[in-house]
Amino acid sequence: GENVEQHPSTLSVQEGDSAVIKCTYSDSASNYFPWYKQELGKRPQLIIDIRSNVGEKKDQRIAVTLNKTAKHFSLHITETQPEDSAVYFCAATVENDYKLSFGAGTTVTVRA
Amino acid sequence: GAGVSQTPSNKVTEKGKYVELRCDPISGHTALYWYRQSLGQGPEFLIYFQGTGAADDSGLPNDRFFAVRPEGSVSTLKIQRTERGDSAVYLCASSLGGGAFNEQFFGPGTRLTVL
């Protein structure tokens, strides 16, 4: 099955700086990569996703890049704000599949 | 509209007891998923329903775990003879259809503690 590894496990950044989270996956058939944000005590929520037919996707201050050859993808948050503090999970799955394989999560803390 | 809801939000039980966890998906969502999230980990897939049938239960850890969705809407995850290792947050998610490109909307989870 799919194995997703995520780094770093914790990340502390100064407000206004950028944050980068990296994930690798093992199954070369995976072609859908969502990112979820989970605030303390709340449900995971999808913030951005990317399909394998593109290498980058951007939505305001967040962007995701995908390198299918190397089997890794990254989340980039620019101009971080205190409300970006949360646990971020990457995930991978195969089109026509349904179960998401999640990374272990990255706890991001934005220092004011 | 209303999101995915789960009850109870917290459940404390003793080792060996039976528990039921309930999930109310978003109205109209045919696909429903259960995940388990242990402390410091990402959610792990347990079971997937498309309509009333369990299309994939390969993630259920053993035969103490069982889930149903009799009318294709509400689902119940049932755990028999609970063990301390079952302690985790149990997340339910639903999506408009099956398949990867349908966003999975998560519920707030049920925190299960087995003493």
Side-chain angles (χ1 to χ4, degrees):
Chain A
E2 176 65 277
N3 181 47
V4 178
E5 295 196 353
Q6 183 171 348
H7 301 280
S9 57
T10 61
L11 181 59
S12 179
V13 297
Q14 189 69 39
E15 183 178 357
D17 288 351
S18 295
V20 180
I21 304 169
K22 299 181 180 181
C23 290
T24 60
Y25 60 98
S26 61
D27 188 346
S28 57
S30 289
N31 58 1
Y32 176 65
F33 308 91
W35 286 87
Y36 282 82
K37 176 183 180 182
Q38 187 173 28
E39 296 178 27
L40 191 63
K42 298 195 174 178
R43 68 192 73 196
Q45 291 192 299
L46 180 72
I47 56 170
I48 194 168
D49 56 15
I50 190 167
R51 302 182 186 185
S52 61
N53 58 346
V54 296
E56 183 174 0
K57 184 177 178 181
K58 202 171 180 181
D59 182 4
Q60 299 182 348
R61 296 187 297 106
I62 60 173
V64 57
T65 58
L66 171 65
N67 183 327
K68 278 193 66 78
T69 303
K71 290 191 283 190
H72 67 70
F73 56 112
S74 300
L75 178 72
H76 304 252
I77 308 172
T78 58
E79 300 170 23
T80 52
Q81 300 170 4
E83 54 264 37
D84 295 329
S85 295
V87 180
Y88 292 80
F89 294 98
C90 61
T93 191
V94 180
E95 183 181 1
N96 298 325
D97 203 342
Y98 35 80
K99 48 188 170 185
L100 296 173
S101 295
F102 284 88
T106 297
T107 301
V108 174
T109 303
V110 180
R111 307 186 306 273
Chain B
V4 178
S5 62
Q6 292 184 245
T7 54
S9 55
N10 279 285
K11 177 70 178 178
V12 180
T13 191
E14 293 180 343
K15 181 174 178 293
K17 299 289 188 182
Y18 168 82
V19 296
E20 290 190 351
L21 311 180
R22 176 186 166 111
C23 172
D24 281 82
I26 293 173
S27 178
H29 280 193
T30 61
L32 185 145
Y33 317 78
W34 284 97
Y35 291 85
R36 179 167 71 173
Q37 186 174 23
S38 300
L39 193 62
Q41 298 296 317
E44 287 182 85
F45 170 80
L46 295 177
I47 187 169
Y48 158 66
F49 288 90
Q50 181 59 258
T52 60
D56 184 348
D57 64 357
S58 63
L60 296 178
N62 51 60
D63 61 7
R64 296 186 297 105
F65 289 73
F66 189 70
V68 295
R69 195 186 184 199
E71 297 178 358
S73 178
V74 171
S75 176
T76 304
L77 178 66
K78 308 181 182 196
I79 311 174
Q80 298 178 319
R81 304 183 305 280
T82 51
E83 299 177 356
R84 292 195 179 88
D86 299 335
S87 296
V89 175
Y90 290 81
L91 292 166
C92 175
S94 70
S95 63
L96 198 55
F101 297 160
N102 286 288
E103 179 182 350
Q104 293 185 26
F105 294 85
F106 281 84
T110 293
R111 181 175 299 279
L112 176 65
T113 303
V114 182
L115 301 177

